[in-house]
Amino acid sequence: GSAVARPTIRGFVAACAALLAAGCGMTGRATAVDVDPRAWTQAAELAVENDDTLSLRDIALFVRCNVRFVEDSLTLRIATLTPDSLRCEETLRLGPAPVRLPSAVRGEILAPYRLRVRLPRSGSYRWQVVPTRPVAGIEAVGIRIEPSN
């Protein structure tokens, strides 16, 4: 039924968002996961494998919004977990919200998270991202890592 089709469509949208964020000539990486667009409350986990322990990179978070997102900003709690089990928690405020677009065109909020950082360990870096309060209209959350200029 349609209950099965909706997550598949949301997964496709999230995958397209990640590919678009990673495309267009960028040499970085991006990953995204679906969240519940009716009321996002649960942590979304993003993972990136790191094999470059020397380069400086810029890290940004993005969220894909639909017309149900009416907030003027979004505050996220982010837990970073390194391959050697170190953990850091902090908050990040995203905003302002994208300009309202026709329903066929989705909005995206992109926020710099870390600039000119080095990921000093090889292995899987994970980010657990959760809003500080329930929010409607967010379809996916992702992270983009690019070489610093």
Side-chain angles (χ1 to χ4, degrees), residues 6-7 10 35-41 66 68 134-139:
R6 283 184 177 258
R10 284 197 323 262
V35 297
D36 185 349
R38 295 168 300 191
W40 177 26
T41 60
N66 64 30
R68 293 186 62 207
V135 62
I138 301 295
E139 296 178 345

Side-chain angles (χ1 to χ4, degrees), residues 17-28:
L19 289 173
L20 286 173
C24 303
M26 291 189 298
T27 58

Side-chain angles (χ1 to χ4, degrees), residues 8 24 28 51 60 64 87 99 105 110 115:
T8 303
C24 303
D51 57 0
R64 296 284 294 167
R87 180 182 179 97
V99 175
V105 181
L110 177 69
L115 300 176

